[in-house]
Amino acid sequence: MDEIDVPPFFICPISLEIMKDPVTVPTGITYDRESIEKWLFSGKNAACPVTKQAVSDCELVPNHTLRRLIQSWCTLNACHGIERIPTPKPPISKDQIAKLLDDAKSPLQQMKCLRRLRLIASENATNKRCIESSGAVEFLASVVSDYDSTAVDEALNILYNLQLSEAALKNLMGRNGDFLVSLTRVMQRGSYECRAYAVFLLKSMLEMADPMQLINLKPELFVELIRILRDKISQQASKATLKLLVSISPWGKNKNKAAEAGVVPVLVDMLLDSSQRRACEIILTVLEEVCRCAQGRSELLNHGAGLAVVSKKILRVSQVANQRAVRILWSISKSCATGNVLQEMMQLGIVAKLCLVLQVECGHKTKEKAREVLKLHGRVWMKSPCMPSNLLSSYPA
């Protein structure tokens, strides 16, 4: 390709690659279908990238003449290793999707429709866009709400793999919370695969939710999210659940709901088993947020390995993990500093670890929090016979 001059009008202005399925927008500019649809479907762009004039993904006209020219050029340059682009399969139409949905009257026809939709969606991104814009999302949501186990598996699989636009996700959130209730019910009763798809979809939806919607989340939802972590359905499901908890815990009383659902002992156990950097960081991030409430701190102290495992991760994972772990210890030392807790922190080597934090490069904010903790209980710890003499010189004045 480096030795061949490619005609510039064969190149997509977005991908800067030879177009496989050229389509022309009303502004007269031609793009590769996949690139321009991705540009428009993201929900963040509604204009022609070149002219900046408004267009929509339903105004794309196949440029057959240009496609044939590209195919002929590829054939002529086959000796240089250029492969001929195949003639693209015509995208599905909205009328075809609408007819498919209309025919889904009985349970048997419904399953046939779902399997057909799944196949159509798997073919290409264009079909996914068409399915969403044809009203299929509402149909799929109603299948999930009706809860027939086999049909729900299919519907959730399709909803997740459609990679729904921001508008569609917000529309699902705007169903008076009914769809969240349906997804919670799926996580209560569904198969492992079904529960995983439910949490993937929940994560996408709640990332687009308004703050008021996040404040009103039901305690039952947190119970099911924690159960997914406890059951270890899959690494992907656990990762999505942790990211979801990171995004929703700061709102309202969500951190209390998570603590009441039993998230702290589950997180501590996950932290004990985890050696991966990113996994440790996200677990500590959730734990730090939950430890901002009284029950979260109490649950951490009640776990036999709680303080020990948090301290162990300091200076062993990353700067982010250092910051999160030190902030957890800061929350404990500021709000739960009984004699027994302070003694345990000394015996576990937490005080020594915090002194070490002051001596190494681990971020200004992390050092400040460590210094605050050491100063807060300096009188107790410096008089303790457990304090190593070599640490006294590094103890903050």
Side-chain angles (χ1 to χ4, degrees):
M1 288 292 289
D2 293 336
E3 301 173 359
I4 302 171
D5 290 328
V6 181
F9 53 93
F10 287 2
I11 303 296
C12 173
I14 298 175
S15 68
L16 301 181
E17 296 178 356
I18 295 177
M19 290 181 277
K20 298 177 181 178
D21 185 8
V23 292
T24 303
V25 300
T27 59
I29 307 298
T30 299
Y31 302 91
D32 191 52
R33 181 187 291 276
E34 183 178 356
S35 297
I36 188 62
E37 285 190 339
K38 188 174 182 180
W39 170 272
L40 296 172
F41 191 71
S42 67
K44 299 175 183 178
N45 308 292
C48 170
V50 174
T51 67
K52 310 304 180 188
Q53 293 177 286
V55 293
S56 69
D57 60 352
C58 62
E59 299 177 296
L60 309 180
V61 179
N63 193 329
H64 298 299
T65 302
L66 180 56
R67 174 179 53 76
R68 293 189 188 102
L69 284 172
I70 294 173
Q71 288 176 321
S72 297
W73 179 86
C74 290
T75 301
L76 289 172
N77 288 279
C79 58
H80 297 288
I82 305 297
E83 295 183 6
R84 182 180 184 276
I85 62 169
T87 301
K89 184 179 178 181
I92 202 79
S93 70
K94 290 185 179 181
D95 289 341
Q96 289 172 292
I97 299 296
K99 185 178 186 309
L100 198 59
L101 298 177
D102 288 339
D103 291 342
K105 306 298 182 183
S106 69
L108 183 62
Q109 290 173 320
Q110 187 181 81
M111 279 304 302
K112 186 177 179 181
C113 171
L114 289 169
R115 291 185 181 120
R116 178 66 180 143
L117 284 174
R118 185 175 181 177
L119 180 62
I120 292 169
S122 68
E123 289 179 352
N124 53 57
T126 302
N127 287 356
K128 292 178 182 179
R129 318 279 192 267
C130 185
I131 290 172
E132 177 180 322
S133 61
S134 302
V137 175
E138 287 294 319
F139 165 74
L140 294 167
S142 68
V143 172
V144 175
S145 299
D146 291 342
Y147 197 81
D148 173 273
S149 57
T150 309
V152 166
D153 282 355
E154 287 287 343
L156 281 174
N157 182 300
I158 297 166
L159 279 171
Y160 170 67
N161 286 300
L162 281 178
Q163 299 173 323
L164 296 173
S165 67
E166 183 176 327
L169 292 168
K170 286 184 175 180
N171 186 51
L172 286 176
M173 276 298 301
R175 294 161 60 100
N176 299 320
D178 292 343
F179 194 62
L180 287 183
V181 173
S182 298
L183 290 177
T184 303
R185 188 166 62 242
V186 168
M187 290 191 290
Q188 289 171 337
R189 307 176 187 175
S191 64
Y192 272 17
E193 183 180 16
C194 203
R195 291 166 66 195
Y197 280 126
V199 80
F200 295 151
L201 190 54
L202 264 172
K203 177 180 174 293
S204 299
M205 289 169 55
L206 292 177
E207 285 175 347
M208 301 296 173
D210 296 326
M212 285 304 298
Q213 291 172 314
L214 296 178
I215 289 171
N216 295 320
L217 295 176
K218 304 287 186 184
E220 294 82 6
L221 176 62
F222 290 85
V223 171
E224 296 311 317
L225 290 174
I226 307 316
R227 198 159 67 93
I228 285 178
L229 293 178
R230 188 181 293 114
D231 291 347
K232 300 178 182 179
I233 291 176
S234 69
Q235 286 187 349
Q236 294 86 349
S238 294
K239 185 177 180 181
T241 303
L242 288 169
K243 287 184 175 181
L244 179 53
L245 289 169
V246 168
S247 66
I248 65 178
S249 292
W251 297 98
K253 296 184 178 180
N254 287 347
K255 57 180 69 66
N256 299 76
K257 296 172 188 175
E260 289 168 5
V263 72
V264 173
V266 174
L267 292 174
V268 172
D269 292 345
M270 291 178 73
L271 207 53
L272 279 166
D273 295 336
S274 180
S275 58
Q276 295 182 348
R277 179 185 64 83
R278 184 56 185 148
C280 288
E281 289 175 351
I282 194 167
I283 293 168
L284 286 167
T285 301
V286 180
L287 195 55
E288 180 207 340
E289 189 60 43
V290 177
C291 282
R292 292 173 184 265
C293 73
Q295 184 164 349
R297 294 189 292 268
S298 176
E299 292 288 332
L300 182 66
L301 292 174
N302 288 336
H303 194 293
L307 287 177
V309 72
V310 170
S311 171
K312 184 179 179 182
K313 296 302 178 182
I314 298 175
L315 303 181
R316 291 191 177 190
V317 181
S318 67
Q319 298 278 41
V320 172
N322 294 340
Q323 185 182 50
R324 301 289 186 264
V326 169
R327 288 185 70 89
I328 291 169
L329 297 176
W330 176 82
S331 294
I332 295 295
S333 66
K334 191 171 183 181
S335 305
C336 309
T338 64
N340 289 338
V341 170
L342 295 179
Q343 187 65 22
E344 184 181 1
M345 292 178 76
M346 175 66 75
Q347 291 174 343
L348 289 172
I350 291 175
V351 178
K353 181 67 73 77
L354 292 173
C355 288
L356 188 57
V357 166
L358 300 182
Q359 301 174 53
V360 300
E361 182 55 48
C362 59
H364 174 71
K365 290 184 178 179
T366 302
K367 286 191 175 190
E368 282 302 307
K369 284 298 178 186
R371 186 175 284 108
E372 283 185 45
V373 175
L374 291 169
K375 283 186 174 182
L376 202 57
H377 304 295
R379 291 183 180 180
V380 176
W381 287 329
M382 290 184 73
K383 293 178 182 178
S384 172
C386 296
M387 171 68 85
S389 57
N390 63 315
L391 288 178
L392 291 175
S393 60
S394 63
Y395 203 94

